[in-house]
Amino acid sequence: MRKLLPVILVSFSAIIFMARLFYLQIIDDSYDEVSTNIAVRKVYDYPQRGYIYDRNGELLVGNQPAYDVMAIPLEVKTFDTLELASLLKLSPNQLKNQLNKAWRYSPRLASVITPQLTKKEYAYLQERMHKYEGFYIQKRSLRDYNVKHSANILGYIAEANNRDIKKNPYYQSGDLIGKQGVEEQYEEELRGVRGVKYFLRDIHNKNIKPFKNGTFDTVSKKGNDLTLTIDAQLQKYGEKLMENKRGGIVAIEPATGEILSLITAPTYDPDKLVGRKRSRNFTKLYYDTISKPLYNRPLQAIYAPGSPFKALTGLAALQEEVVDLDESFSCNGSYTYARGVRMGCHHHPSPVEMVSGIAYSCNSYFAQIYRRTIEKYETPQLGIDAWRKHMASFGLGDYLGYDLPVGRAGLLPDAEYYNRAYEYPTYNWYASATLSNAIGQGEVLTTPIQLANVTAAIANKGWYYKPHIIKKINEESIEIEKYTTKQQTTIDKKHFEPIIEGMHDVFNYGTAQFLQVPGIEICGKTGTSENYIRIDGERMQLTDHSIFVAFAPKENPKIAIAVFVENGYWGSRYAGRISSLMIEKYLKGNIERTDLESWILSHSLEDEYAKPYSGEPFEINQ
Amino acid sequence: MPKTLLQIDWLSILIVILLIAFGWSNIYSTTVTASDLEVFDFSKIYGKQLIWIGLGVFITVLMLSIEAKFFEKFSTVIYIVAVLSLSGLFLFGKTIAGQTAWYSFGSFSIQPAEFVKTAVALVLAKYLSEINVDLKKFKSQIKAAGIIAIPFLLIMLQPDAGSALIYLAFIIPLYREGLPHWYIVVGFLVAAIFILTLKFGFTIIAPIIFAMAVIIFLFNRKNKPKILKYILITILCTGFSYSVNFILNEVLLPHQKDRFDVLIGESNDIKGSAFNLYQSEVAIGSGGFWGKGWLKGTQTQGRFVPEQHTDYIFSTVGEEWGFLGTSLVVVLFTSLILRLFYLAERQKSQFNRVYGYCVFSVIFFHFFVNIAMVIGLFPTVGIPLPFFSYGGSGLWGFLILIFIFLKLDAKRKSLN
């Protein structure tokens, strides 16, 4: 039996195979009709991509039809090259090259000769198409942008390249795939399901009828519509304010973690990356390596956070119980923390305690309470790690997990980092070596969205939801666990009161008095961050970055915002103005302080940006 | 070496050569384009296959020159290297069409799974020929299963269910060496219940299982069967039949489920696989008795059958060489497999015999699954037809597999 089994199996299979083949090839002749002189043409039915709306239901992105001109090289008969080339807006040589390329790809399969004609071009071409045998037109769906803003959020779509196709077997040559932004992040929701129709043709390339009555056809299914958390009006306004400047704005709704706007400057019109003009425009944007319009600054740019970081320094000191609220420190323009080493401060009333310290942004005060925080522990290593734990609980040094495809983690140093930098244990280092962290000018680096998130956590008095941009899919609110889990910071709720009071006083008597918005209680903090650039290997200092964070209203906050304006000098000069305008716009719907608005709109920083490239010596902080 | 040449089984080699030659002419037909002038154009698929075949000759010579004892002695080492090469894929492998199954060196790629079969066969033969191994015992069964399961699972993770399926072939040598009958019976039962439930549904199959149990019990009455055992088996079978839908919907991946649906003619959703199969059947069916002639198949030349130079190569034979060609291929394969079976049975050393069994079982499984798929008797499973399909790894893998056995066979007398 055991020896017999293989013989039985093999013989049995051979007999079955022969029987089946005999049936297929000799008895059943239904296949002959199909394969003689008739070929099947596969035509894809590309689905419409899902629409994208803003939080108030305003349509941001829809679709427009477009038309690919295809050719099957073997079926192309001699034709008037000049005429067709001019119809397709190609040079005769380009047309010949395209046909040669198609021939090399496959003489029998369809290739794209020229992609994505507009409806108008198509209408003109359609009447003349019958003259060109072997050519036909395939309908596609392209993006149609309803707005001129939000390019950095939306991303764009492009033909899937070889890498996409290899990575994911769903894609075929000629498919469109989302690149960057929401288009990339929610590709699977947006793309829908591709349909396919099979047609029979006779040898004259005519009489197209459905193959087998459409048994094998599949219907395409439109992609899902997305509703974003973005407020289109606010986004548009923010982009307008940022014209002629570089930097980023992030606004978050503190109660939900929803991103209200995410602005990068400079930016571009999303319509530039649609259809045939995409690759030319993309190249232009891509090679602008100085202003970098494709660089998503609110997510990717890392800056020293500057003075807004003092709020965190204060919170950590309160939580570690190294300072009392009413303990005051005098400041005479600087703080000497080691022999002959001073940290400068600007002119302001003295002495200060926590609340006025924030309002006046006193460097000496925060340097001293930071030092106490670190020195509370036996070694500076333990101290730094304890401090780091508090900072990390605000989402610093982390990608934050938002639903957009790019980002940076920034830098939040730990003891290991300083051990390496100071070659511990060969050399020792102390709290004073890290003192610049107290005022946000040390090793800590943050992205604008991280700083906005910190502001939201302060507004909420100790917790935040991870920032995110998706609100609804197909009109249904979605609950993603990641975005509905409260992230608790390590700071107790009660410690936030004095910090918020101080941030409120920034507007009452502090560094941003002139930015008050009538009728809105704003809490905020100015910031100025020194920065350097390296051009041709030479390091030079540039004008300080202007930074501002704020939330409003003070009670039951609706918006938390972080603004970075590169080389805008001091905090309230550009970033503060922009923040207060954004808050006014969002909470009131219109701007009453038109003089402030026109100041921002009429001031450009382009001269400032041109300085380091002028090749001449230049002055900064003018 | 010269002595080996006299003792070697030339009949097997002749069949292999015929298969490779016929296979290449079909690869040529599916991949040549009208503008191609040269056969030795190595940028083309058929040209590349010529390189694989040419280098394959060296591999066979190498296999025949290695001392026969070497394979038994170093089987464990070879097996470990093979398993490492599979694990390494997850670190260094290249992903093509969603499967991480290749090492890529410039313009060509190697698929280790094709070589691992040989390693498993060697180490299985070595293990089963140890004196204290008895497949009647559970411990030996587990160990033997482990040898097969490690590469099987690694390949499943790639994920390449098709290549992994081939490892079921090793049940044949295990059965020959004493695996209890009921394993085979259970295997057939599972397969039969699975497919029949898919086709007819649980509500029809469950009463049939019950009726069968009663009938067998009544027929068997004289032997005083244990009624409890019957009830238990009946419950297990019905339970499995009941869970078929669950397996189909929850365990299998969507594309695998579609392939089953296509087979039983119930595919509504993804017509892609149905269309492939249909095109393949059209190609074969339209070949008739004589075929349309080499390079004259309209389906083949129209490139309507996807993957026709690899997994669907048999459809080219069907279209261009007709029933004559397809029968020839079936006859050649059947003769090769039965010849290898005969050679395996005449071995005196147990190591040789088990290895021989592994060789013909693996080739048989490939042959069976591939052809059954192409002619619409089996779900779509992406595995090549040995010696026929395009692909260097596959070709070399089979050459190494078979020529080690031919070397062992040639030296069978000197071994013991």
Side-chain angles (χ1 to χ4, degrees):
Chain A
M1 174 61 198
R2 286 179 188 277
K3 290 185 199 172
L4 228 55
L5 181 75
V7 184
I8 296 171
L9 275 180
V10 175
S11 325
F12 190 63
S13 321
I15 291 167
I16 289 186
F17 286 173
M18 297 295 271
R20 172 76 175 165
L21 287 165
F22 189 77
Y23 172 78
L24 278 178
Q25 301 193 284
I26 295 170
I27 296 177
D28 187 356
D29 52 10
S30 66
Y31 297 113
D32 298 349
E33 169 229 355
V34 183
S35 78
T36 41
N37 293 336
I38 301 175
V40 182
R41 175 188 282 172
K42 215 170 173 177
V43 177
Y44 286 112
D45 183 5
Y46 289 100
Q48 283 218 43
R49 238 176 133 75
Y51 285 25
I52 303 178
Y53 299 92
D54 92 327
R55 65 187 291 118
N56 301 317
E58 184 185 332
L59 180 65
L60 303 177
V61 191
N63 295 312
Q64 56 183 335
Y67 304 87
D68 289 352
V69 178
M70 316 286 290
I72 299 172
L74 262 188
E75 294 169 5
V76 172
K77 302 279 145 59
T78 30
F79 63 95
D80 186 342
T81 322
L82 275 177
E83 193 188 39
L84 183 64
S86 76
L87 278 177
L88 300 178
K89 296 199 172 134
L90 297 171
S91 75
N93 264 337
Q94 278 174 316
L95 179 60
K96 270 183 213 151
N97 282 341
Q98 285 298 80
L99 274 174
N100 285 338
K101 221 157 98 188
W103 183 274
R104 277 200 303 277
Y105 169 65
S106 164
R108 289 164 206 273
L109 294 181
S111 293
V112 178
I113 297 302
T114 180
Q116 304 170 351
L117 298 182
T118 63
K119 207 168 179 176
K120 215 169 115 197
E121 290 170 313
Y122 166 69
Y124 191 64
L125 190 63
Q126 194 189 17
E127 293 164 19
R128 293 160 182 80
M129 211 56 205
H130 65 273
K131 289 204 293 194
Y132 306 102
E133 257 182 69
F135 289 89
Y136 69 100
I137 287 173
Q138 168 119 40
K139 192 177 166 195
R140 306 292 291 261
S141 166
L142 284 188
R143 278 315 204 184
D144 183 16
Y145 291 94
N146 223 12
V147 293
K148 299 222 172 291
H149 55 78
S150 302
N152 63 317
I153 296 172
L154 299 171
Y156 58 95
I157 54 175
E159 271 192 27
N161 57 31
N162 283 339
R163 206 154 32 130
D164 300 323
I165 293 167
K166 275 191 180 158
K167 215 164 67 184
N168 187 336
Y170 173 86
Y171 296 99
Q172 301 173 348
S173 162
D175 275 354
L176 295 172
I177 185 172
K179 303 260 169 178
Q180 290 302 344
V182 172
E183 299 275 18
E184 176 178 338
Q185 186 78 26
Y186 289 103
E187 162 72 11
E188 285 186 16
E189 298 289 346
L190 289 169
R191 75 180 174 206
V193 179
R194 180 179 49 221
V196 60
K197 288 193 170 69
Y198 297 95
F199 289 103
L200 275 186
R201 297 167 308 151
D202 63 9
I203 35 173
H204 306 296
N205 199 15
K206 284 190 192 111
N207 290 345
I208 294 182
K209 65 166 184 178
F211 173 56
K212 287 246 158 181
N213 293 323
T215 324
F216 295 113
D217 297 357
T218 56
V219 248
S220 67
K221 193 169 152 274
K222 183 180 180 294
N224 294 330
D225 295 342
L226 300 186
T227 301
L228 303 183
T229 60
I230 294 296
D231 182 310
Q233 294 307 317
L234 188 66
Q235 177 80 15
K236 183 179 165 191
Y237 186 61
E239 287 193 11
K240 197 169 112 190
L241 294 179
M242 288 296 283
E243 269 169 27
N244 304 319
K245 298 155 198 91
R246 291 181 198 161
I249 303 178
V250 182
I252 295 177
E253 184 175 76
T256 56
E258 292 177 354
I259 299 173
L260 298 172
S261 57
L262 189 80
I263 292 152
T264 190
T267 183
Y268 58 92
D269 181 351
D271 188 53
K272 276 191 173 171
L273 297 188
V274 174
R276 295 172 94 182
K277 56 188 186 287
R278 186 186 62 80
S279 80
R280 196 186 44 211
N281 282 333
F282 186 83
T283 316
K284 222 188 277 170
L285 293 169
Y286 185 80
Y287 283 105
D288 184 353
T289 53
I290 291 175
S291 68
K292 298 187 194 157
L294 291 176
Y295 186 49
N296 208 344
R297 284 177 165 84
L299 307 178
Q300 290 178 295
I302 50 177
Y303 307 101
S307 301
F309 201 72
K310 287 172 184 162
L312 292 180
T313 304
L315 287 169
L318 290 172
Q319 183 69 27
E320 293 288 333
E321 297 175 332
V322 294
V323 64
D324 279 337
L325 282 178
D326 38 18
E327 187 183 354
S328 61
F329 292 69
S330 65
C331 169
N332 46 12
S334 70
Y335 166 57
T336 307
Y337 58 94
R339 190 180 302 155
V341 193
R342 302 178 327 130
M343 176 186 280
C345 193
H346 55 95
H347 184 72
H348 62 79
S350 172
V352 296
E353 26 62 65
M354 184 67 80
V355 173
S356 56
I358 293 214
Y360 293 129
S361 198
C362 174
N363 286 350
S364 313
Y365 177 83
F366 287 98
Q368 288 175 71
I369 64 169
Y370 170 83
R371 191 167 179 175
R372 285 192 194 173
T373 309
I374 306 296
E375 288 177 350
K376 178 187 168 190
Y377 292 84
E378 254 173 66
T379 65
Q381 280 84 358
L382 289 174
I384 282 288
D385 282 342
W387 165 82
R388 186 185 194 278
K389 206 182 77 213
H390 292 309
M391 300 302 120
S393 77
F394 283 85
L396 297 183
D398 180 68
Y399 289 97
L400 277 179
Y402 50 77
D403 47 350
L404 283 168
V406 295
R408 301 272 294 267
L411 176 63
L412 186 59
D414 55 6
E416 185 54 36
Y417 177 91
Y418 289 110
N419 282 346
R420 236 180 301 127
Y422 292 107
E423 296 182 23
Y424 181 85
T426 318
Y427 303 101
N428 274 324
W429 55 273
Y430 301 98
S432 52
T434 69
L435 205 65
S436 305
N437 283 335
I439 58 167
Q441 282 288 356
E443 286 69 32
V444 178
L445 294 172
T446 58
T447 58
I449 194 170
Q450 284 176 335
L451 218 52
N453 187 54
V454 167
T455 312
I458 294 173
N460 290 334
K461 299 182 183 154
W463 57 268
Y464 65 91
Y465 287 118
K466 289 191 168 166
H468 53 276
I469 202 150
I470 189 79
K471 199 169 169 65
K472 295 178 191 165
I473 294 178
N474 277 348
E475 287 299 295
E476 269 177 56
S477 297
I478 49 145
E479 297 232 331
I480 300 171
E481 208 193 333
K482 194 161 102 176
Y483 301 133
T484 51
T485 316
K486 242 185 204 179
Q487 311 289 323
Q488 283 293 345
T489 65
T490 52
I491 312 291
D492 296 342
K493 192 176 173 190
K494 62 175 182 205
H495 297 313
F496 285 92
E497 310 282 351
I499 301 297
I500 290 174
E501 215 44 61
M503 288 170 74
H504 190 221
D505 286 347
V506 167
F507 282 83
N508 288 338
Y509 58 82
T511 47
Q513 284 176 63
F514 74 105
L515 294 176
Q516 283 182 16
V517 182
I520 303 175
E521 300 291 317
I522 310 182
C523 302
K525 182 76 200 76
T526 53
T528 302
S529 148
E530 289 178 6
N531 64 99
Y532 301 85
I533 192 179
R534 201 173 273 283
I535 297 177
D536 298 334
E538 192 189 345
R539 182 179 138 113
M540 38 189 144
Q541 184 168 12
L542 300 183
T543 297
D544 298 344
H545 291 329
S546 170
I547 304 169
F548 202 86
V549 303
F551 65 87
K554 190 179 167 206
E555 304 301 330
N556 199 8
K558 292 270 176 278
I559 180 172
I561 191 168
V563 179
F564 278 74
V565 178
E566 291 180 10
N567 313 120
Y569 203 0
W570 68 87
S572 55
R573 189 181 183 215
Y574 278 95
R577 283 181 165 106
I578 291 173
S579 301
S580 85
L581 287 169
M582 289 288 281
I583 288 172
E584 186 178 4
K585 175 82 181 171
Y586 184 66
L587 294 180
K588 286 190 167 173
N590 61 317
I591 300 295
E592 284 160 17
R593 300 169 300 158
T594 44
D595 48 338
L596 194 72
E597 185 182 38
S598 51
W599 189 95
I600 282 290
L601 292 178
S602 62
H603 277 68
S604 161
L605 284 169
E606 291 301 340
D607 294 343
E608 191 69 46
Y609 300 135
K611 277 182 186 173
Y613 298 96
S614 63
E616 290 160 25
F618 57 89
E619 295 277 311
I620 60 163
N621 292 346
Q622 287 174 315
Chain B
M1 187 76 184
K3 221 172 151 195
T4 310
L5 288 182
L6 289 177
Q7 297 157 331
I8 202 162
D9 186 56
W10 282 99
L11 180 58
S12 306
I13 295 181
L14 179 70
I15 301 177
V16 168
I17 291 174
L18 285 175
L19 285 173
I20 292 178
F22 195 28
W24 184 82
S25 71
N26 282 293
I27 292 173
Y28 180 78
S29 176
T30 58
T31 54
V32 72
T33 48
S35 56
D36 292 355
L37 302 171
E38 267 213 74
V39 172
F40 293 95
D41 182 346
F42 297 132
S43 68
K44 294 287 189 306
I45 281 178
Y46 52 82
K48 275 191 191 164
Q49 185 72 357
L50 268 189
I51 302 183
W52 297 120
I53 294 172
L55 294 174
V57 174
F58 287 99
I59 288 184
T60 58
V61 173
L62 182 71
M63 289 302 129
L64 293 178
S65 332
I66 293 175
E67 193 63 37
K69 286 255 185 215
F70 169 88
F71 298 110
E72 187 168 0
K73 243 183 189 160
F74 286 90
S75 57
T76 320
V77 180
I78 295 173
Y79 180 77
I80 291 171
V81 171
V83 168
L84 286 179
S85 76
L86 282 180
S87 322
L89 283 174
F90 299 108
L91 294 175
F92 312 109
K94 187 180 165 200
T95 306
I96 300 176
Q99 297 178 341
T100 313
W102 285 266
Y103 286 115
S104 175
F105 306 94
S107 66
F108 71 102
S109 307
I110 290 275
Q111 192 183 5
E114 295 294 345
F115 301 93
V116 174
K117 284 171 254 184
T118 305
V120 173
L122 283 172
V123 93
L124 203 61
K126 163 108 166 174
Y127 176 68
L128 294 183
S129 57
E130 279 171 19
I131 297 164
N132 51 3
V133 171
D134 180 3
L135 282 176
K136 297 254 182 311
K137 288 185 188 141
F138 188 62
K139 203 176 142 194
S140 301
Q141 290 169 7
I142 283 289
K143 280 192 181 165
I147 292 172
I148 301 165
I150 294 171
F152 173 83
L153 291 175
L154 285 171
I155 295 172
M156 283 298 274
L157 285 175
Q158 290 178 354
D160 184 356
S163 298
L165 182 74
I166 290 306
Y167 284 77
L168 292 181
F170 291 110
I171 203 162
I172 297 178
L174 290 181
Y175 180 66
R176 168 67 175 81
E177 300 302 317
L179 196 71
H181 294 294
W182 64 269
Y183 276 91
I184 302 289
V185 176
V186 167
F188 274 116
L189 263 183
V190 165
I193 292 177
F194 190 83
I195 291 174
L196 291 175
T197 309
L198 271 185
K199 186 86 186 166
F200 301 107
F202 174 71
T203 41
I204 294 180
I205 296 303
I208 291 179
I209 294 173
F210 189 72
M212 294 272 279
V214 173
I215 291 169
I216 294 172
F217 180 78
L218 291 178
F219 267 95
N220 226 359
R221 227 171 5 182
K222 283 170 200 152
N223 302 338
K224 292 184 183 158
K226 287 180 186 128
I227 189 139
L228 218 66
K229 201 163 134 191
Y230 270 83
I231 293 174
L232 194 71
I233 291 175
T234 312
I235 291 175
L236 278 177
C237 287
T238 352
F240 177 70
S241 169
Y242 186 70
S243 63
V244 162
N245 265 323
F246 172 80
I247 295 175
L248 204 61
N249 292 321
E250 306 295 329
V251 182
L252 294 180
L253 298 171
H255 70 272
Q256 291 168 336
K257 177 180 181 299
D258 287 328
R259 291 166 179 176
F260 275 104
D261 287 346
V262 167
L263 188 74
I264 59 170
E266 280 179 13
S267 168
N268 300 314
D269 296 338
I270 300 197
K271 304 287 173 53
S273 12
F275 187 71
N276 292 357
L277 181 57
Y278 182 80
Q279 289 293 0
S280 165
E281 283 179 19
V282 168
I284 295 173
S286 64
F289 185 80
W290 297 102
K292 298 175 191 167
W294 194 43
L295 305 181
K296 294 200 180 103
T298 46
Q299 295 289 307
T300 300
Q301 299 309 320
R303 307 286 185 262
F304 287 109
V305 187
E307 293 300 313
Q308 200 177 8
H309 59 289
T310 57
D311 298 345
Y312 280 94
I313 188 79
F314 190 67
S315 65
T316 313
V317 182
E319 185 180 26
E320 298 192 341
W321 302 88
F323 184 66
L324 226 53
T326 51
S327 337
L328 177 68
V329 172
V330 172
V331 167
L332 280 177
F333 267 107
T334 312
S335 336
L336 177 67
I337 293 162
L338 290 176
R339 177 71 189 168
L340 289 170
F341 165 72
Y342 167 76
L343 295 182
E345 274 298 339
R346 80 175 180 190
Q347 302 303 313
K348 303 218 165 50
S349 111
Q350 198 183 8
F351 175 81
N352 286 8
R353 183 177 67 220
V354 177
Y355 184 75
Y357 253 77
C358 289
V359 173
F360 86 72
S361 304
V362 165
I363 294 180
F364 168 61
F365 257 60
H366 269 275
F367 162 71
F368 177 78
V369 173
N370 181 281
I371 303 231
M373 167 191 83
V374 175
I375 61 182
L377 295 175
F378 203 77
T380 310
V381 173
I383 59 162
L385 188 59
F387 310 113
F388 234 79
S389 292
Y390 169 76
S393 304
L395 179 67
W396 290 3
F398 286 115
L399 285 177
I400 293 172
L401 185 74
I402 202 168
F403 273 84
I404 288 178
F405 179 55
L406 293 180
K407 172 75 181 190
L408 292 176
D409 175 62
K411 294 290 168 196
R412 67 186 187 280
K413 285 182 183 127
S414 60
L415 270 174
N416 286 328

